Amino acid sequence: SKSLSDEENLKLFGKCNNPNGHGHNYKVIVTVRGEIDPVSGMVINLTDLKEYMQQAIMEPLDHKNLDKDVPYFAEVVSTTENVAVFIWENLKKLLPMGTLYKVKVYETDQNIVVYKGEEAI
């Protein structure tokens, strides 16, 4: 985080605090919801969903240094939580309104983030 000192970053982020960056092989699961079309039997055509995911996830993020190659993360800390928000916001622009239900991002098998957009608490 640009808001923290080197010592604070090390304490907060531990081994993920590497000045040269580090990589992850994220796994992303997108869940949609809505009325099932009686003709197609689908909420959304999976070919279309794959294309939306290609545009919203793979093109901006795949094989990228998030902090250096993705403008969004120039000002936002590239935690898995914020990666999930980034994906949500990108997909929301492409999917039919109200269709996107949840984005689940696996940083590892043990570290998983689920994001469902802004919800009142």
Side-chain angles (χ1 to χ4, degrees), residues 1-114:
S1 172
K2 293 177 182 177
S3 306
L4 301 174
S5 69
D6 289 344
E7 185 178 281
E8 291 169 318
N9 271 308
L10 181 58
K11 184 177 179 184
L12 182 61
F13 296 109
K15 70 179 184 177
C16 291
N17 178 53
N18 185 335
N20 297 316
H22 69 284
H24 289 285
N25 290 318
Y26 295 103
K27 176 179 167 184
V28 177
I29 297 176
V30 174
T31 304
V32 295
R33 68 176 173 187
E35 297 290 321
I36 298 173
D37 182 277
V39 175
S40 71
M42 296 182 274
V43 171
I44 187 170
N45 185 302
L46 289 181
T47 301
D48 294 340
L49 180 58
K50 285 180 185 179
E51 178 56 33
Y52 297 145
M53 291 175 71
Q54 178 68 29
Q55 290 176 43
I57 302 168
M58 300 307 289
E59 288 174 13
L61 301 178
D62 191 35
H63 289 89
K64 300 285 182 9
N65 179 322
L66 299 183
D67 297 324
K68 295 180 181 179
D69 300 332
V70 183
Y72 178 86
F73 293 107
E75 300 300 322
V76 175
V77 181
S78 58
T79 60
T80 306
E81 293 87 341
N82 284 329
V83 169
V85 171
F86 175 85
I87 292 169
W88 174 277
E89 293 300 326
N90 280 353
L91 281 172
K92 190 175 168 186
K93 294 174 193 172
L94 300 171
L95 288 165
M97 185 186 284
T99 307
L100 184 58
Y101 177 65
K102 128 176 113 175
V103 169
K104 191 174 196 178
V105 180
Y106 289 76
E107 179 178 323
T108 68
D109 289 339
Q110 304 294 316
N111 300 329
I112 304 159
V113 170
V114 175

